[in-house]
Amino acid sequence: MPTIAAQIFQTLADRIAQGDVAPGQKLEEKALADEFGVSRTPVREALRELGARGLIEINPRRGGVVARISVPQLADMLEAECELEATCARLAAQRLTAVEREQLYDLHRRCAEAVKAKDLEGYLAANRDFHDHICRGAHNTTIAAMAVDLRARLAPFRQRQAGTIEARMQQSLDEHQGIVDAIRANDARTAFDAMCAHNARLSAGVMRLFSESMLAS
Amino acid sequence: MPTIAAQIFQTLADRIAQGDVAPGQKLEEKALADEFGVSRTPVREALRELGARGLIEINPRRGGVVARISVPQLADMLEAECELEATCARLAAQRLTAVEREQLYDLHRRCAEAVKAKDLEGYLAANRDFHDHICRGAHNTTIAAMAVDLRARLAPFRQRQAGTIEARMQQSLDEHQGIVDAIRANDARTAFDAMCAHNARLSAGVMRLFSESMLAS
DNA sequence: TCGTGCACGATTGTGCACAAGATGGGCATC
DNA sequence: GATGCCCATCTTGTGCACAATCGTGCACGA
């Protein structure tokens, strides 16, 4: 049985990732302690951990708020994610095992079927698995962990654009095809460029929506 | 005035980075609390933060130990650092401002002078500044922060090889020259490759020494 | 009417006490 | 003599209380 603090950390991390608590919202120790029926101590530990991972901002004596972000900061993080995933794609093109290659083709097929069926939910899940598989396929746990952490931090801001993906599913699928082809050909450089271009296009969409929402508020 | 927890975190992080406490060594809350003359609470917070950043391992109800590492894990982390810095070099070649370029040349000169004077201490400092400058020169705070964090985690294991650098100073300087030339020419791809090769060579040295020390113990 | 200063309330930082679980040594048994 | 079990001790996890600090609202003066 994990510690109470670890459970609360996980719960809060999920809430933030899924947008249940909005960026900028205060996280008060006492209120959370009451909600979970524990004392402030484990809540504090959970908040510290969230702070260390960049999911919330903690100011001394002023408590924690869900991490906010400015337009340039979002651009910064999206670019970092783009570089990270592209690096993974480059390494994956050189290192994927035969089994992993087949799994990648399977995931790509799942994406294609979801697009054909216009199944947004299924596409998002398959798409996530596709990207995850490539990150793990780099066979470097440090880089993969950095990519996962970064994606967790970006999740709250990416959340809102889920609805707009529908129109782009077909194009994304075509780009995935390019990535798969490059990996199949062990063409590291093309795999990097294809992943980079793919993520850059997605990031541009996120930026556009985010900028709009910032102007609106 | 920062909180006590923040001060203790910084102190412990420095100790770990400088090798004052060896990997695997236990960090007991009460002992540290007595040493710093505070209660266990701020010490706990500091340890949690160190744990979140990967500098120590924390097991529930068993306390924390300075992060240990296996040979494959070290290889993993060194490779990640290599990719990260090479990415920074690639971006820096495209983005360095005129002022930053001059600063880079200055830092390179400082390295060269230290080599000529056989000033190991000075070379290590100038070398660190050189690499830092390139990381910052990527103009991406997220990637730079990841590189800094990773270097902090690697510091305890890199510590031991400081003495052996002397023989490699000249070669490292030559490689730095190649990086500087590529950046001067705005040649992103060559900058990436040069930094990658440079770091790979250094990493190989770290791996060799680490493997030996693992066999010895 | 607006700006400034003060006091109060609320929240976090720290210290301390008790509870739960882990480690290590001693003892019994094979 | 070796092995497995049990218990004592120690360390960490959690709860709670007090202290320090920050934000807010109000009153006062310009």
Side-chain angles (χ1 to χ4, degrees):
Chain A
M1 168 169 129
T3 68
I4 295 178
Q7 298 175 44
I8 294 177
F9 165 78
Q10 196 58 52
T11 302
L12 292 179
D14 289 345
R15 283 190 192 173
I16 294 171
Q18 296 181 356
D20 295 343
V21 288
Q25 187 170 332
K26 280 199 71 167
L27 294 176
E28 290 188 9
E29 296 177 359
K30 179 146 192 345
L32 291 169
D34 291 344
E35 178 190 340
F36 291 111
V38 299
S39 88
R40 276 176 51 213
T41 309
V43 173
R44 275 179 73 75
E45 313 244 322
L47 291 181
R48 298 331 252 220
E49 181 101 10
L50 290 167
R53 300 215 187 177
L55 290 172
I56 70 176
E57 304 166 15
I58 294 182
N59 301 93
R61 305 207 172 267
R62 288 174 40 181
V65 300
V66 180
R68 280 162 307 199
I69 207 173
S70 65
V71 171
Q73 276 177 322
L74 179 60
D76 195 275
M77 288 168 64
L78 287 170
E79 177 179 72
E81 191 192 31
C82 181
E83 293 288 343
L84 230 45
E85 280 208 17
T87 299
C88 286
R90 174 162 50 75
L91 294 173
Q94 300 167 323
R95 300 181 178 176
L96 238 44
T97 65
V99 172
E100 287 169 339
R101 277 162 198 276
E102 290 303 327
Q103 290 172 326
L104 182 67
Y105 306 151
D106 264 349
L107 287 170
H108 183 47
R109 266 193 294 273
R110 265 182 53 204
C111 282
E113 285 161 13
V115 169
K116 190 171 292 179
K118 296 200 187 307
D119 172 13
L120 179 59
E121 198 73 28
Y123 176 76
L124 287 174
N127 179 64
R128 195 175 337 107
D129 290 347
F130 180 84
H131 283 265
D132 274 348
H133 191 68
I134 290 178
C135 283
R136 282 198 306 277
H139 290 265
N140 185 298
T141 58
T142 304
I143 296 178
M146 290 192 295
V148 168
D149 275 7
L150 189 51
R151 231 180 317 171
R153 288 171 60 189
L154 281 166
F157 308 100
R158 186 159 268 159
Q159 190 65 9
R160 343 185 168 183
Q161 80 142 16
T164 74
I165 285 193
E166 200 149 11
R168 301 156 180 267
M169 282 199 302
Q170 183 59 50
Q171 184 176 357
S172 278
L173 193 66
D174 293 342
E175 290 167 359
H176 279 200
Q177 185 67 54
I179 296 167
V180 169
D181 288 343
I183 289 177
R184 193 193 302 261
N186 294 353
D187 185 342
R189 185 172 167 103
T190 303
F192 180 95
D193 291 340
M195 180 63 92
C196 203
H198 174 55
N199 268 339
R201 194 181 58 81
L202 295 176
S203 295
V206 175
M207 286 297 298
R208 191 167 46 75
L209 285 172
F210 182 72
S211 301
E212 284 168 10
S213 74
M214 287 292 275
L215 288 174
S217 64
Chain B
M1 173 170 125
T3 68
I4 295 178
Q7 297 176 44
I8 294 178
F9 165 77
Q10 197 57 52
T11 303
L12 293 178
D14 289 344
R15 282 191 193 173
I16 293 172
Q18 296 181 355
D20 295 344
V21 288
Q25 187 170 331
K26 279 199 70 168
L27 294 177
E28 290 188 6
E29 296 177 1
K30 181 149 190 342
L32 292 169
D34 291 344
E35 179 190 339
F36 291 111
V38 298
S39 87
R40 278 175 49 213
T41 309
V43 173
R44 277 179 71 75
E45 312 244 323
L47 291 180
R48 298 330 254 220
E49 181 100 12
L50 291 167
R53 300 216 187 176
L55 290 172
I56 71 176
E57 304 165 14
I58 294 182
N59 301 93
R61 302 197 176 277
R62 288 175 39 184
V65 299
V66 180
R68 282 161 304 202
I69 207 174
S70 65
V71 171
Q73 276 177 323
L74 179 60
D76 196 274
M77 287 167 64
L78 287 170
E79 176 177 75
E81 192 192 30
C82 181
E83 294 288 345
L84 230 43
E85 281 208 15
T87 299
C88 286
R90 173 162 52 75
L91 294 173
Q94 300 168 324
R95 299 181 179 176
L96 238 43
T97 66
V99 172
E100 287 169 339
R101 278 165 198 274
E102 290 303 326
Q103 290 172 326
L104 182 67
Y105 307 152
D106 264 349
L107 287 170
H108 183 48
R109 267 193 292 276
R110 265 181 55 202
C111 282
E113 284 161 14
V115 169
K116 191 171 289 180
K118 296 198 188 307
D119 172 12
L120 179 58
E121 199 72 27
Y123 175 76
L124 288 174
N127 179 66
R128 197 175 336 107
D129 290 346
F130 180 84
H131 282 265
D132 274 348
H133 191 69
I134 291 177
C135 284
R136 281 198 307 275
H139 290 264
N140 184 300
T141 58
T142 305
I143 296 179
M146 290 194 293
V148 167
D149 276 7
L150 189 51
R151 232 180 316 170
R153 288 170 61 189
L154 281 165
F157 308 100
R158 185 158 269 159
Q159 190 63 11
R160 340 184 170 185
Q161 80 143 13
T164 73
I165 285 192
E166 199 149 13
R168 301 157 179 265
M169 281 199 303
Q170 183 59 51
Q171 184 176 356
S172 278
L173 192 66
D174 293 342
E175 290 167 359
H176 279 199
Q177 184 68 55
I179 297 166
V180 169
D181 288 344
I183 289 177
R184 191 193 304 261
N186 294 353
D187 185 343
R189 183 170 168 99
T190 303
F192 180 95
D193 291 341
M195 179 63 91
C196 203
H198 174 54
N199 268 339
R201 195 181 58 81
L202 295 176
S203 295
V206 175
M207 286 299 297
R208 192 165 44 73
L209 284 172
F210 182 73
S211 300
E212 284 168 10
S213 74
M214 287 294 274
L215 288 174
S217 64

